[in-house]
């Protein structure tokens, strides 16, 4: 479909007031009322790409991906610049949600990204974008975990999320394009992206177990043993911090497990280990807590087998109890 442009002009005061009111309603969660106003704005300025971009955003917030695609296509058809417009990025997210890979490729390339395979490539977009933190369940009990970026809109979860997030290790989540905070690791800053929705579930359940690990070497041995089996174990006692929302959405250093620190707004109790508290103990023996709460992502029939194998390798320094499936 070809849409003929007219010269770009400044939108009317009525359009701006209507749009501003609509986004106030969106902030209050009143999507239906906001949608009526944004439709009115599009009627007022149908040749303005912003009218359709705003509608596409609303449909994205509502997870109405078919309508988001329709509005997004109208928005990009009215653009007055070739690359870098957020309209294309938003359309790329929408196309990814719908698994419309030809449109996703078109959107990312129009935004300015170089994709492997050229125009003849088929199937899901695959890019090597490294690791990034992603905020799971941002509207509920949110949790920031680390994952592998598969493309500009999808992250495969590499951490073992806490059960409160409702997410599992190995799941792929669709995420938004605007960063919401930062995490600093190894001296580098990584943007935190908010999850939009679950894109691909994981069949691997999450278990929690209380370990008796005399040293960090004992703890590390379990994580290595589970990883060699193709799954994951994570010492939640060291890796998890409970933060107020303001801290979580700001620039935070990640815990390396060796540097002693306690965050000023950490809601946990440093005197009690477990996933409801956090204090990085450092590498000194005096600070090491032998009881560790550990998350394990592995099939049911393999969890106890791996734990027993771990204990058998050093029974005087290792033990476990209270194995429970939590997600």
């Amino acid at each position: 479909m070809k849409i003929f442009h007219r010269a770009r002009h400044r939108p009317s005061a009525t359009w701006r007031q209507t749009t501003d009111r609509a986004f106030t309603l969106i902030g209050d969660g009143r999507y239906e009322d906001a949608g009526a106003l944004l439709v009115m704005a599009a009627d007022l300025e149908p040749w303005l790409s912003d009218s359709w971009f705003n509608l596409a955003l609303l449909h994205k917030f509502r997870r109405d991906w078919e309508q988001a695609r329709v509005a997004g296509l109208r928005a990009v058809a009215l653009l007055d610049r070739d690359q870098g417009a957020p309209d294309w990025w938003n359309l790329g997210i929408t196309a990814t949600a719908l698994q419309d890979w030809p449109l996703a490729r078109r959107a990312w390339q129009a935004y300015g990204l170089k994709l492997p395979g050229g125009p003849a490539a088929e199937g899901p977009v695959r890019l090597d974008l490294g690791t990034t933190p992603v905020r799971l369940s941002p509207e509920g009990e949110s949790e920031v975990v680390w994952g592998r970026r598969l493309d500009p809109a999808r992250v495969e979860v590499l951490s073992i999320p806490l059960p409160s997030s409702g997410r599992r290790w190995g799941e792929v989540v669709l995420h938004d394009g605007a960063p919401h905070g930062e995490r600093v690791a190894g001296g580098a800053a990584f943007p935190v992206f908010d999850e939009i929705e679950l894109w691909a579930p994981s069949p691997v359940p999450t278990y929690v177990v209380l370990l008796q690990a005399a040293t960090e070497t004992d703890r590390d041995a379990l994580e290595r043993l589970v990883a060699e089996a193709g799954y994951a174990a994570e010492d939640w006692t060291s890796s998890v911090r409970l933060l107020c929302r303001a801290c979580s959405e700001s620039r935070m250093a990640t815990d390396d497990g060796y540097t002693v620190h306690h965050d000023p707004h950490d809601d946990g109790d440093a005197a009690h280990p477990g996933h409801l508290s956090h204090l990085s103990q450092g590498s000194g023996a005096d600070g090491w807590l032998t009881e560790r709460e550990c998350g394990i992502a592995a099939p049911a029939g393999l969890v106890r087998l791996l734990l027993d194998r771990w204990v058998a390798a050093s029974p005087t320094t290792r033990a476990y109890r209270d194995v429970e499936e939590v997600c």
Side-chain angles (χ1 to χ4, degrees):
M1 178 178 69
K2 183 176 181 181
I3 298 179
F4 295 95
H5 292 259
R6 71 178 185 183
R8 183 173 177 85
H9 66 285
R10 183 179 179 85
S12 67
T14 302
W15 183 93
R16 294 196 300 272
Q17 292 167 1
T18 302
T19 301
D20 289 345
R21 175 58 180 160
F23 276 93
T24 298
L25 293 174
I26 288 173
D28 294 336
R30 296 171 59 184
Y31 293 148
E32 293 296 330
D33 294 336
L37 290 177
L38 289 179
V39 168
M40 184 186 304
D43 288 339
L44 289 169
E45 300 283 359
W47 297 101
L48 190 66
S49 63
D50 288 352
S51 295
W52 303 104
F53 174 68
N54 293 336
L55 268 172
L57 279 180
L58 173 66
H59 294 314
K60 182 183 74 173
F61 296 151
R62 298 172 62 185
R63 314 301 189 255
D64 186 344
W65 298 115
E66 292 291 351
Q67 290 300 315
R69 177 166 54 185
V70 171
L73 285 170
R74 296 195 69 172
V76 298
L78 292 167
L79 286 174
D80 58 0
R81 55 175 166 157
D82 293 334
Q83 289 189 340
D87 309 64
W88 283 114
W89 194 279
N90 201 56
L91 186 58
I93 294 174
T94 297
T96 303
L98 292 168
Q99 300 187 44
D100 184 346
W101 300 119
L103 180 58
R105 291 177 184 279
R106 177 187 167 203
W108 301 133
Q109 289 173 326
Y111 185 81
L113 300 180
K114 293 183 178 180
L115 302 183
E122 297 180 354
V125 176
R126 291 287 185 180
L127 294 173
D128 183 10
L129 299 177
T131 57
T132 191
V134 60
R135 181 175 289 104
L136 304 177
S137 305
E139 297 175 358
E141 294 189 33
S142 63
E143 177 183 359
V144 176
V145 300
W146 286 85
R148 179 187 298 110
R149 295 192 74 185
L150 304 178
D151 63 24
R154 293 181 300 151
V155 168
E156 178 187 7
V157 177
L158 298 179
S159 303
I160 302 179
L162 296 176
S164 57
S165 72
R167 294 287 174 259
R168 289 176 167 183
W169 171 84
E171 289 187 325
V172 177
V173 298
L174 188 75
H175 68 81
D176 220 337
H180 204 177
E182 288 185 337
R183 294 295 183 269
V184 180
F190 296 83
V192 180
F193 298 103
D194 284 352
E195 173 196 347
I196 297 176
E197 66 181 13
L198 178 64
W199 192 87
S202 169
V204 181
T206 303
Y207 289 82
V208 63
V209 58
L210 287 178
L211 304 178
Q212 292 293 326
T215 66
E216 290 177 73
T217 301
D218 291 305
R219 184 272 315 275
D220 294 345
L222 177 62
E223 293 183 348
R224 185 168 55 253
L225 179 67
V226 178
E228 289 172 350
Y231 298 98
E234 182 176 331
D235 180 5
W236 283 341
T237 300
S238 289
S239 67
V240 175
R241 286 177 285 176
L242 291 187
L243 303 171
C244 67
R245 180 173 292 275
C247 283
S248 177
E249 296 177 355
S250 65
R251 183 184 178 98
M252 295 293 298
T254 59
D255 181 21
D256 59 12
Y258 297 95
T259 304
V260 177
H261 72 274
H262 194 282
D263 299 304
H265 297 291
D266 190 331
D267 295 332
D269 180 0
H272 300 89
H275 72 265
L276 297 182
S277 63
H278 176 83
L279 175 65
S280 176
Q281 296 294 331
S283 58
D286 292 341
W288 178 254
L289 299 172
T290 58
E291 184 167 276
R292 323 292 298 178
E293 188 170 48
C294 181
I296 298 179
L302 190 59
V303 174
R304 289 188 181 273
L305 178 63
L306 290 170
L307 286 167
D308 289 340
R309 191 178 301 169
W310 172 71
V311 171
S314 183
T316 60
T317 62
R318 304 171 187 176
Y320 72 89
R321 61 183 174 87
D322 299 342
V323 181
E324 179 184 1
E325 183 177 345
V326 292
C327 183

